[in-house]
């Protein structure tokens, strides 16, 4: 697996789509091999990252949080699909997208953080949010969430929310 990553890394500048699947235990090592290539992926339009582990999910992977991948490295990126391995909400990768699919989010994710992220994507057309499990879902609307300003996404034509019902309703009410 790592030898293959080393072989493809020099060709990164020609990638339009890059799909990366890893087992959680090896994610950090694999990213260490690939990380220098991302600054050369100037033509990349679609990035898919999927991570699994023997214990199930690896949400908000520490390896991805440490990876200093910024939007400027991927100027043409318009589709970001992440499954059980997510960048921090504050990452600049979550901006100027047409397609955003987040699968395997922990049920405790912040809907306000998600709305903030969506504000950086006014051209978003497809949004898919899928939590790993709805067991022990607890979303309580409070003064902070009620006062959160709506997000305007005029081009959004497809939305999929596999989430706690109360949080899904909250998100739908805040996306206009």
């Amino acid at each position: 697996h790592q030898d293959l990553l080393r072989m493809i890394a020099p060709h990164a500048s020609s990638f339009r789509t890059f799909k990366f699947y890893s087992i959680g235990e090896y994610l950090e090592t694999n990213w260490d091999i690939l990380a220098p290539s991302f600054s050369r992926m100037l033509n990349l339009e679609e990035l898919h990252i999927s991570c699994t582990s023997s214990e199930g999910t690896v949400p908000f992977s520490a390896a991805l949080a440490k990876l200093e991948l910024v939007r400027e490295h991927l100027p043409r990126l318009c589709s970001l699909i992440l499954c059980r391995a997510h960048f921090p909400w504050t990452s600049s990768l979550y901006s100027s997208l047409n397609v955003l699919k987040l699968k395997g989010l922990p049920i405790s994710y912040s809907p306000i953080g998600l709305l903030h992220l969506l504000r950086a994507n006014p051209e978003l057309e497809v949004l898919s949010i899928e939590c790993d499990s709805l067991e022990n879902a607890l979303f309580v609307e409070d003064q902070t969430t009620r006062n959160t300003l709506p997000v305007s996404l005029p081009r959004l034509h497809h939305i999929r929310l596999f989430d706690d019902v109360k949080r899904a309703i909250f998100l739908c009410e805040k996306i206009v």
Side-chain angles (χ1 to χ4, degrees), residues 17 34-35 44 56 58 70 76 82-83 87 97 110 142:
T17 299
L34 274 177
L44 193 69
V58 186
V70 294
R76 293 186 175 188
L82 302 175
C83 183
F87 295 96
L97 299 170
S110 163
D142 59 18

Side-chain angles (χ1 to χ4, degrees), residues 77-118:
L77 186 68
C78 58
S79 177
L80 182 61
I81 299 170
L82 302 175
C83 183
R84 294 184 189 90
H86 303 90
F87 295 96
W89 289 132
T90 55
S91 172
S92 63
L93 280 185
Y94 294 118
S95 64
S96 303
L97 299 170
N98 298 110
V99 176
L100 177 61
K101 295 182 180 181
L102 304 173
K103 300 176 184 180
L105 283 176
I107 194 61
S108 61
Y109 84 88
S110 163
I112 294 174
L114 177 64
L115 289 173
H116 177 71
L117 176 153
L118 292 177

Side-chain angles (χ1 to χ4, degrees), residues 126-141:
V126 176
L127 173 64
S128 178
I129 304 293
E130 296 181 32
C131 289
D132 240 6
S133 168
L134 296 182
E135 291 180 31
N136 303 318
L138 179 62
F139 172 70
V140 179
E141 191 170 359

Side-chain angles (χ1 to χ4, degrees), residues 8-21:
I8 65 170
H11 306 284
S13 63
S14 62
F15 296 165
R16 296 247 190 280
T17 299
F18 187 73
K19 296 181 180 183
F20 179 76
Y21 301 90

